Amino acid sequence: MRDLRVTVDIDEYAEGAVLLDGLEDAIIGIVEDFGSPGRKILYSKPRILHILQERDLMTMGEAEEFYDYNILGLYVGELTPVFLDLEITPIKKEDGWEYQLTE
């Protein structure tokens, strides 16, 4: 697979999507689903936790609690961001599929 890097204008591509201030470095994608009025921003939970620890000097426990209550629990309409908790890699085996955590 080739690595093509194209600049995306989030405001144009995901018009109306909710962006979380100060967590821009945790954005990993734009998602869509059937029935939604538009696209949503996809954030990485591990990146958010890292930002909270580095920027706000939180412990991992404090960062997880803050994330659960203030970020994951946030609802601001149909275009509320979504969060990737674990990234996995599918591995094809002779007898089916195996899934490994991506580091």
Side-chain angles (χ1 to χ4, degrees):
M1 180 185 282
R2 293 186 310 159
D3 183 22
L4 293 176
R5 299 196 185 261
V6 177
T7 301
V8 174
D9 181 350
I10 289 179
D11 291 330
E12 182 179 318
Y13 195 79
E15 184 179 352
V18 176
L19 296 169
L20 303 176
D21 289 337
L23 296 176
E24 293 81 5
D25 198 36
I27 295 173
I28 57 172
I30 298 172
V31 298
E32 61 183 350
D33 63 344
F34 182 78
S36 286
R39 295 178 178 98
K40 301 173 186 178
I41 304 301
L42 175 64
Y43 287 88
S44 164
K45 177 184 177 180
R47 288 186 189 184
I48 290 173
L49 295 176
H50 178 77
I51 291 168
L52 294 174
Q53 290 174 318
E54 294 292 315
R55 182 191 68 197
D56 300 336
L57 303 176
M58 292 182 182
T59 65
M60 178 56 94
E62 291 169 336
E64 288 174 334
E65 183 177 336
F66 184 89
Y67 168 84
D68 288 342
Y69 184 76
N70 296 292
I71 298 173
L72 183 62
L74 174 72
Y75 180 78
V76 289
E78 293 179 317
L79 298 179
T80 295
V82 292
F83 305 93
L84 178 66
D85 187 14
L86 297 173
E87 184 176 347
I88 58 174
T89 301
I91 310 289
K92 180 128 175 86
K93 301 287 187 176
E94 287 183 20
D95 60 344
W97 289 90
E98 178 180 280
Y99 300 93
Q100 296 179 349
L101 285 176
T102 304
E103 297 289 328

